[in-house]
Amino acid sequence: MAAALGGLGLLQGRVRLAAAVAATSSLGRPGRRAPVPRGAAAAAAAAALLSAGRSYGSEAKEEEELRVRYLDDEHKGIVVLGLNRSQAKNALNKNLLKMMSKAVDALKSDKKVRTVIFRSEVPGIFCAGADLKERAKMHSSEVSSFVSKARATINEMANLPVPTIAAIDGTALGGGLELALACDIRVAASSAKMGLVETKLAIIPGAGGTQRLPRTIGVSLAKELIFSARIVDGEEAKSIGLISHVVEQNEAGDAAYRRALALAREFLPQGPVAMRVAKLAINQGMEVDLVTGLAIEEACYAQVCNYDYMEKPRKQALLVPVMKHAEIQP
């Protein structure tokens, strides 16, 4: 059981996940010593190495694997995070998780951000789960650390104070679906036409799937999907409540993203504080009994209308930690 829960993105039988093969290169030919540069030649060589490091080092790689776009004009306030590991089908590796965590950390404190859309920049795939090729090289202790980091990053996404939308144009497997489950709204593309990518979704839990899936579709159905590792298409996912909207895929392969963008535009005219406290009230209220949930709603409402709920000692004791955690400011 522990092994199954640790297997983020691991699928059985008919599904095989492709991962990127790291390209390696060497300077010079094997068995030959390159001449040692001296004087001006040495300085030029050092400058060339520094330049190469800036062009092809971790910063360039990180920027390529996760694209962050702040939209403008009529879409101002919408931020798009695009997964971009084409050779690995957007599989989650250490570097991508690090960049996602960094991006989410910046977004949560940016008051100009109104909605965040998670999408794929790679046609036909949303996210294939964990990078199993990278994982195969890890020590067992590293695997545990990786799964913990994946879970923490997805939790950070779920706790963003603004609405989040997953635009699923293509397959979302394992950790990829868990990433989508952390979003407030999920949109998937489906197609009956030959040649167009059919969105498929499957979950093997490891980064929160056993907890988020039952809360989304109900306990019985969640158990059935997890126990069977069944793959569902967009239409079935919509029928069981796994996604909010299913749209016909277009020739460009970005129908889900376009629908997500249209939804995000509907959110823009709404008051930013009201949106943040509404999300907080829903998220916190779902974890408590109804009476406590109503008290949370009242405290959240007070943030919008400047009602001094702190005059009431019981509400103060109950709700101040909640509001402090949310870091909501008018």
Side-chain angles (χ1 to χ4, degrees):
M1 179 63 181
L5 292 176
L8 176 64
L10 179 61
L11 296 178
Q12 300 174 346
R14 58 184 180 238
V15 182
R16 294 179 181 274
L17 302 182
V21 178
T24 57
S25 62
S26 58
L27 296 175
R29 297 178 180 176
R32 298 183 59 183
R33 290 177 63 92
V36 179
R38 300 180 183 279
L49 286 173
L50 288 173
S51 176
R54 286 193 293 269
S55 299
Y56 303 103
S58 60
E59 291 185 1
K61 180 180 179 182
E62 290 170 357
E63 181 180 358
E64 183 181 10
E65 291 188 347
L66 182 70
R67 294 179 177 174
V68 181
R69 291 188 294 138
Y70 288 73
L71 306 188
D72 51 23
D73 298 328
E74 70 271 23
H75 298 119
K76 188 174 183 180
I78 301 173
V79 179
V80 180
L81 298 185
L83 305 177
N84 190 45
R85 296 193 71 214
S86 57
Q87 293 181 343
K89 296 186 178 180
N90 288 338
L92 302 173
N93 65 349
K94 291 180 180 179
N95 183 66
L96 182 55
L97 286 175
K98 180 178 73 173
M99 294 312 299
M100 288 171 58
S101 179
K102 184 187 297 185
V104 169
D105 190 58
L107 291 173
K108 69 183 181 183
S109 59
D110 189 341
K111 301 302 180 183
K112 295 180 180 179
V113 177
R114 305 292 299 280
T115 301
V116 178
I117 298 176
F118 291 87
R119 67 168 301 192
S120 168
E121 303 283 346
V122 181
I125 188 75
F126 178 73
C127 178
D131 188 333
L132 300 183
K133 186 154 290 190
E134 179 186 71
R135 177 176 293 184
K137 300 176 182 178
M138 295 180 187
H139 186 271
S140 58
S141 61
E142 291 181 284
V143 173
S144 176
S145 176
F146 173 82
V147 173
S148 295
K149 177 62 177 177
R151 185 180 295 111
T153 301
I154 291 175
N155 282 340
E156 290 168 4
M157 286 174 42
N159 290 327
L160 275 171
V162 297
T164 55
I165 307 173
I168 311 172
D169 283 303
T171 304
L173 304 175
L177 183 53
E178 293 182 10
L179 187 155
L181 282 169
C183 294
D184 300 313
I185 301 168
R186 287 163 294 285
V187 182
S190 185
S191 177
K193 298 179 181 179
M194 296 298 292
L196 295 183
V197 174
E198 175 77 14
T199 293
K200 297 179 181 179
L201 307 100
I203 189 164
I204 293 292
T210 59
Q211 302 306 304
R212 289 194 173 89
L213 191 61
R215 285 168 167 79
T216 303
I217 66 174
V219 173
S220 182
L221 264 176
K223 287 179 178 179
E224 182 178 330
L225 292 184
I226 291 173
F227 295 165
S228 65
R230 181 187 304 156
I231 297 175
V232 298
D233 61 19
E235 294 291 347
E236 184 178 356
K238 174 68 166 61
S239 71
I240 63 176
L242 182 55
I243 61 173
S244 305
H245 302 272
V246 59
V247 293
E248 184 72 19
Q249 187 58 282
N250 57 28
E251 296 291 340
D254 65 351
Y257 171 66
R258 290 178 181 271
R259 183 70 179 96
L261 199 58
L263 279 172
R265 286 186 62 181
E266 290 184 39
F267 302 158
L268 291 179
Q270 315 310 320
V273 174
M275 294 285 284
R276 289 170 180 253
V277 296
K279 178 171 179 175
L280 174 66
I282 295 169
N283 287 354
Q284 295 288 335
M286 290 299 294
E287 304 300 325
V288 298
D289 62 88
L290 179 60
V291 172
T292 306
L294 290 171
I296 291 173
E297 180 187 75
E298 183 179 353
C300 288
Y301 180 69
Q303 292 289 303
V304 181
C305 65
N306 293 322
Y307 169 69
D308 188 8
Y309 68 92
M310 292 182 66
E311 290 180 356
K312 301 183 178 181
R314 177 179 174 277
K315 288 190 174 66
Q316 178 179 1
L318 176 66
L319 299 171
V320 166
V322 174
M323 305 310 294
K324 183 178 180 181
H325 173 73
E327 297 181 350
I328 293 177
Q329 300 295 331

